[in-house]
Amino acid sequence: MTSGDRDLAADEALRRRVQRRTLAVVVASQVLGGAGLAAGVTVGALLAQELVGADSLAGLPAALITLGSAGAAFVVGRVSQRRGRRIGLGIGFGAGGLGALGVVVAAATDDVPLLFVALLVYGAGTATNLQARYAGSDLAAPSARGTAVSVALVSTTLGAVAGPNLVAPMGSVAVALRIPALAGPFLLAAAAYLLAGLVLVLLLRPDPLLLARRLEADAASAASAASAASAERDAAAPAPVPPVGRGAIVGAAVMILTQIAMVAIMTMTPVEMRAHHHDLSEVGVVIGIHIAAMYLPSPLTGLLVDRVGRIPMAVAAAVTLLAAGVVGAVAPADSLGLLVLALALLGLGWNFGLISGTALVIDATTPANRARTQGTIDVLIALAGAGGGAMSGVVMASAGYALLSIAGGVLSALLVPVVFWALRPRSAARP
């Protein structure tokens, strides 16, 4: 075995060892982050409805949270590209925790402008929680990227499912502190996000993205070492950043469409339930099952994405989200069982779309451009979700929950032509 072969073998052993440690740290942060994001999903719309007193603005919190997550995704992506995942994700979770504290203060003082600003900042936690999935895949082998993403997502389940079911207890805590009951879950969110950031800053060492970049450079150097002239040219000029592949565009489209459909329907479900006299505990059950469906199937989804393929699972996302929209549209508002089914399908379709889309993006990027590209795509996803959240309240106020649900399902069906475009040979795609 040559010296170069020994170096490559040592690098591979290091990659595997750090990947195992990285996944463990990401799992811990995701459990905490899941509890943090659940607060806004469960009671954000209800809190705004209570403070503002207008049903048509009930979708505004989801829009603000996702708009804030767009800005945070851009910042976290750029910081991660320069400084690594540890610093980028730590900053994002820290901002999310401060935003949650701002929501509590706004609710306690009945300050609507502060509430809207705080929800924007709180959105940083949502963006960071999603971007952590990339940290788990930076060092993963190509054939295991879907599985690595799924490990990061499924670990969110514990906190995300527990969060909605703690709405009533945290409401009691809030009342004991003489603040509105609906602000209680944001107390939990503040603690969860701040702890998640602390875990990443302290324990995500060595940084997976920076290590992946170094290992890729070492492999490239070893491959070109046989040609002295090539090595000399490489040393004289920095390597250009490679362009992203078409798979990144397809993956982005899959995640954007699934995000719009999911956010629009999910945001208005608590409002629809409260309008038909469901109590907060029932709202918590429905949203808890929805979030469980978003994250709990991840190990199986990741395995299917790696074994069956990215594109078939993107089609499965479209079909499942369409079914969710149809069930939501036909379900009587007083039928808890059908609402649970609709929201479970909605979460499952989102899960299929997110993991297949993420894997497509990872496949089409390299460590040299990955974090920046991922951050940009997550900005587009967040902006799309913000639009879906903002319009959901307007559509529901004017046309009702049934039309909103069916519109979200039909929108999801647009994934199918996107997938057909992806399957076309490059030569056929040109006029």
Side-chain angles (χ1 to χ4, degrees):
M1 180 181 290
T2 66
S3 174
D5 291 337
R6 284 194 297 271
D7 289 343
L8 290 175
D11 283 351
E12 177 61 18
L14 175 63
R15 183 191 64 78
R16 291 180 180 178
R17 185 172 68 253
V18 175
Q19 171 66 358
R20 288 192 295 269
R21 175 181 171 83
T22 296
L23 284 178
V25 175
V26 168
V27 164
S29 70
Q30 291 293 83
V31 170
L32 293 165
L37 71 86
V41 169
T42 308
V43 300
L46 298 175
L47 182 59
Q49 188 181 39
E50 183 177 281
L51 291 184
V52 180
D55 289 352
S56 63
L57 295 179
L60 190 56
L64 290 170
I65 290 169
T66 50
L67 187 61
S69 71
F74 180 85
V75 173
V76 171
R78 291 304 191 272
V79 173
S80 296
Q81 188 72 46
R82 293 185 178 184
R83 304 286 302 278
R85 301 286 187 192
R86 185 175 66 89
I87 301 300
L89 296 176
I91 290 173
F93 273 130
L98 293 177
L101 288 175
V103 172
V104 173
V105 173
T109 58
D110 200 22
D111 189 332
V112 174
L114 176 60
L115 173 68
F116 292 158
V117 172
L119 286 171
L120 273 172
V121 180
Y122 169 79
T126 304
T128 308
N129 198 74
L130 275 177
Q131 287 219 11
R133 74 194 189 276
Y134 293 123
S137 64
D138 283 328
L139 294 169
S143 61
R145 286 168 175 165
T147 302
V149 172
S150 73
V151 169
L153 286 178
V154 75
S155 57
T156 306
T157 306
L158 181 60
V161 173
N165 291 291
L166 291 173
V167 166
M170 291 305 300
S172 299
V173 171
V175 170
L177 295 173
R178 298 182 179 179
I179 59 178
L182 290 175
F186 286 95
L187 288 171
L188 174 65
Y193 277 158
L194 292 173
L195 283 173
L198 190 63
V199 165
L200 289 166
V201 169
L202 294 180
L203 301 180
L204 198 62
R205 300 169 184 269
D207 188 282
L209 180 62
L210 298 182
L211 179 59
R213 196 179 299 165
R214 182 179 72 78
L215 294 179
E216 184 184 65
D218 289 348
S221 177
S224 62
S227 171
S230 175
E232 203 172 303
R233 285 194 301 270
D234 290 343
V241 176
V244 298
R246 182 167 61 165
I249 300 173
V250 178
V254 169
M255 291 188 283
I256 286 169
L257 290 174
T258 56
Q259 184 77 356
I260 293 173
M262 189 276 291
V263 170
I265 298 173
M266 174 271 297
T267 299
M268 287 297 107
T269 299
V271 177
E272 173 76 354
M273 292 180 69
R274 292 288 278 174
H276 290 84
H277 311 296
H278 292 279
D279 60 32
L280 277 177
S281 64
E282 290 177 321
V283 173
V285 168
V286 171
I287 297 301
I289 291 173
H290 166 66
I291 296 177
M294 288 172 66
Y295 296 104
L296 197 57
S298 295
L300 178 59
T301 303
L303 184 64
L304 290 172
V305 167
D306 285 335
R307 300 288 177 83
V308 177
R310 282 63 160 142
I311 298 301
M313 291 306 295
V315 173
V319 173
T320 306
L321 289 169
L322 178 59
V326 171
V327 173
V330 302
D334 59 354
S335 175
L336 187 64
L338 285 178
L339 285 173
V340 165
L341 176 60
L343 269 290
L345 288 170
L346 187 70
L348 182 63
W350 179 88
N351 180 268
F352 290 167
L354 185 72
I355 295 180
S356 61
T358 299
L360 283 165
V361 171
I362 296 169
D363 290 345
T365 56
T366 70
N369 60 23
R370 184 167 295 152
R372 182 174 60 252
T373 303
Q374 290 162 346
T376 300
I377 289 173
D378 278 5
V379 169
L380 298 176
I381 294 169
L383 289 174
M391 290 303 298
S392 64
V394 176
V395 172
M396 182 165 164
S398 60
Y401 182 77
L403 183 60
L404 174 67
S405 295
I406 199 67
V410 171
L411 177 66
S412 305
L414 292 176
L415 285 175
V416 176
V418 169
V419 166
F420 280 130
W421 174 78
L423 291 173
R424 293 173 65 193
R426 289 186 180 275
S427 58
R430 298 189 187 97

